[in-house]
Amino acid sequence: MDNETSVLRKVNRDALLGRATSLANGSECHFVGDPIRRVDLAILKIYFPGQGTTWAARIPYEQDWPFYEVSVRPLEFLACHHPTILAPRVHGYVDVGAGENPVGVAYILMDWVDGNHMQPWSLSEPPLPTRHRVLDQIADIMLEMLSKNAVNGDITVYGVPDGTPENMPVSTSVWLTESINRPLRRHLRQNKTSMVVANLIQRSMVPSYVVPEHNTSHWAVLHPDLHSANLIVDKDWNITGLIDWDLMSAQPLQKWATFPKLIEHLPGAAPPDVPAQLSYLDFAQDKAYLVQILTEKQKKRSDTVDIAKLVETSTERAFFEMSHNAPTVHQEFAERNCRPTRANLEAARSELVRFLADNPSIHRDDAGVKDVEKRLDELLANVDKD
C-alpha cells in the first residue's frame, strides 16, 4: 500500500476541483482546510460558495483496492433502494485502472456530512433521554433496511459457496457452513492444526445457531459497523449521517438482525473507538429498550418478519458468526465452546469427513489433513486417559 504522503502528493488538486465544478453544473469551488487523514484514506473538503454546499473528496491510500465494489456500490445501492437512509450521496468517482485520469489517483466525490462523530457510548454517557433518542433513530434505520429483500443484482451477495449462480442466495445454514469453511481451508494450507480442529467443532455447531423459521428468509443489508465512530450527530443528538458503508453486502437476515455494535461488545470485538477498560460492558438496559422500541414500531408497519425477536436473541449467534474470521473473537469463542471433550472431538471427526466430501480439491492424503486426523486421535486418547 502506498503511504498517505505519496498518495496525496499524486493528487492534481486543480483537476479535482475542475471535476467537482463540472459535476456541480459549473459551480465554482475551493478546498477548505488541510486534508483529513484517516487510517486508510484522506478526505479533502470542497466548498461551493454559490450553492452553500460542501462535498468530500475521498482518496484511498490503497490505490489497488477495488474501489467501486467496496465503497461506491454500497452508496449507490442506498441512494436507489433506501433513499431515506442518511448516507452520503456519490456525485462522481474514478476507480483504479480507469484509464486517463487527470486527477492522478482514484477518488470519490460525495456529500459532506455535517455534524460531529458521536462520543463513545458508556454506561453513564450519554444520559438516558439522549440514549433513547439515538436508539429510536437506529431502530427506524434497522426496520427500513432489514424488512426488504436486498438481492436484486445491485449489491454484492456475499458468502455463498463457489459455484453458486450469480445473485442467488442460499440457506442460512449453508451460508454459515461456508463462513467456517473459508478459514478452515486457510488454516489447512497454513498447517494450523489446532485451529482446524476448532473450525471443525464449529461446523458441527451450525444447526444450533440457525433460527429454523429464518433458515430460508430473505437476505438483507445493513451498515456493517454501526458504532459511534460512524454515527454523525448534531448538537441535539439527531443523526445527520451514517458514514463508512464500505463492504456492505447482502447476507442472511439473521446475520444483520443483531444488536448494533454501539451497544453490543462481543468478547474480543469491541468497537475501535471504545477504550480497553470499556470493551466488555454489558448494555443490557439499552438492549432491552431497543427491542421494546423495535416491537412498538413494527406494530405500526406492515412487515411480516419479527425483527425485534431476532435482535433480542442475537448475541450468541453474532458471537458464533464473528468468531469464524476475527482472530481475537475466535480465540474467545474457542476457549468457551470448543474444548477437547469427547463429544466435540467425535463431532470434529465427522465434520472432517463431510468437509472433504464438500471440497474435492482437498484430499484425505494431503499432509495437512493427515496432521488433523493424527491430532484428533491424540486428543481422543488423552480424553480416554482422563
Side-chain angles (χ1 to χ4, degrees):
M1 180 176 72
D2 293 335
N3 64 50
E4 58 189 73
T5 301
S6 66
V7 170
L8 287 173
R9 191 181 295 126
K10 295 175 183 177
V11 178
N12 183 327
R13 299 196 177 199
D14 289 338
L16 184 58
L17 290 177
R19 179 59 177 155
T21 291
S22 174
L23 291 167
N25 298 318
S27 182
E28 295 296 322
C29 58
H30 60 80
F31 292 114
V32 177
D34 295 325
I36 301 168
R37 300 178 186 231
R38 301 278 170 78
V39 174
D40 56 350
L41 58 89
I43 298 173
L44 303 178
K45 191 174 182 179
I46 299 174
Y47 182 63
F48 297 85
Q51 299 179 353
T53 57
T54 305
W55 288 5
R58 183 176 173 181
I59 314 291
Y61 303 144
E62 179 55 84
Q63 285 285 303
D64 293 331
W65 193 248
F67 206 32
Y68 175 77
E69 287 295 327
V70 171
S71 303
V72 178
R73 194 177 184 187
L75 294 175
E76 290 184 340
F77 178 89
L78 291 168
C80 180
H81 300 285
H82 296 282
T84 62
I85 299 298
L86 297 171
R89 298 294 180 253
V90 174
H91 299 284
Y93 69 93
V94 168
D95 207 345
V96 176
E100 183 178 354
N101 175 15
V103 176
V105 297
Y107 63 87
I108 307 177
L109 287 167
M110 58 201 300
D111 289 338
W112 176 269
V113 180
D114 287 322
N116 298 298
H117 291 276
M118 199 173 75
Q119 69 183 57
W121 199 272
S122 71
L123 292 178
S124 58
E125 294 293 337
L128 190 61
T130 299
R131 301 169 90 85
H132 287 183
R133 185 179 187 84
V134 172
L135 292 172
D136 273 10
Q137 296 171 80
I138 290 176
D140 288 332
I141 293 167
M142 293 177 69
L143 290 174
E144 157 65 18
M145 301 192 71
L146 296 178
S147 63
K148 298 179 180 178
N149 185 356
V151 180
N152 54 21
D154 291 342
I155 194 70
T156 301
V157 174
Y158 177 77
V160 299
D162 289 344
T164 303
E166 188 175 4
N167 295 316
M168 177 68 70
V170 295
S171 68
T172 302
S173 57
V174 169
W175 180 85
L176 275 174
T177 301
E178 179 60 20
S179 179
I180 300 168
N181 285 348
R182 288 192 298 275
L184 202 165
R185 288 188 287 262
R186 183 173 66 251
H187 294 151
L188 270 174
R189 291 194 301 270
Q190 297 168 343
N191 295 316
K192 294 183 176 180
T193 305
S194 294
M195 297 191 76
V196 171
V197 171
N199 291 147
L200 290 169
I201 294 171
Q202 286 180 307
R203 265 184 61 115
S204 74
M205 297 175 175
V206 165
S208 300
Y209 289 96
V210 175
V211 182
E213 60 267 36
H214 291 294
N215 192 32
T216 57
S217 286
H218 68 271
W219 282 33
V221 294
L222 192 65
H223 193 293
D225 286 306
L226 203 54
H227 53 69
S228 57
N230 291 327
L231 288 164
I232 308 298
V233 296
D234 64 17
K235 61 182 179 60
D236 297 317
W237 293 83
N238 297 304
I239 296 175
T240 59
L242 293 169
I243 62 172
D244 195 4
W245 292 84
D246 286 8
L247 297 173
M248 182 186 76
S249 58
Q251 297 184 59
L253 176 63
Q254 79 162 53
K255 149 71 178 179
W256 290 127
T258 59
F259 290 109
K261 292 181 181 179
L262 180 70
I263 58 173
E264 179 73 286
H265 295 184
L266 295 173
D273 58 317
V274 173
Q277 66 270 26
L278 303 180
S279 61
Y280 289 96
L281 292 181
D282 181 10
F283 296 102
Q285 291 183 330
D286 292 327
K287 290 179 180 179
Y289 179 78
L290 180 62
V291 170
Q292 173 191 328
I293 201 66
L294 283 169
T295 302
E296 293 175 3
K297 290 175 180 289
Q298 279 180 165
K299 293 177 181 177
K300 301 175 183 178
R301 299 167 56 97
S302 59
D303 304 335
T304 58
V305 177
D306 191 345
I307 300 297
K309 183 178 179 181
L310 266 175
V311 171
E312 184 177 24
T313 59
S314 68
T315 295
E316 289 303 316
R317 294 195 303 273
F319 186 24
F320 175 68
E321 185 271 323
M322 190 174 285
S323 73
H324 304 165
N325 297 290
T328 54
V329 183
H330 175 86
Q331 180 178 348
E332 294 275 0
F333 185 90
E335 288 177 356
R336 300 174 191 212
N337 300 288
C338 300
R339 296 185 179 279
T341 64
R342 172 163 289 280
N344 278 346
L345 295 172
E346 293 288 4
R349 178 176 276 169
S350 298
E351 287 301 324
L352 179 58
V353 174
R354 296 188 185 96
F355 172 77
L356 292 174
D358 294 340
N359 294 267
S361 63
I362 301 173
H363 305 288
R364 190 156 193 167
D365 57 357
D366 290 349
V369 175
K370 287 184 175 180
D371 287 342
V372 172
E373 291 181 322
K374 180 180 178 181
R375 181 58 178 157
L376 286 171
D377 288 340
E378 292 171 349
L379 290 170
L380 280 164
N382 288 336
V383 169
D384 290 337
K385 288 178 182 177
D386 295 339

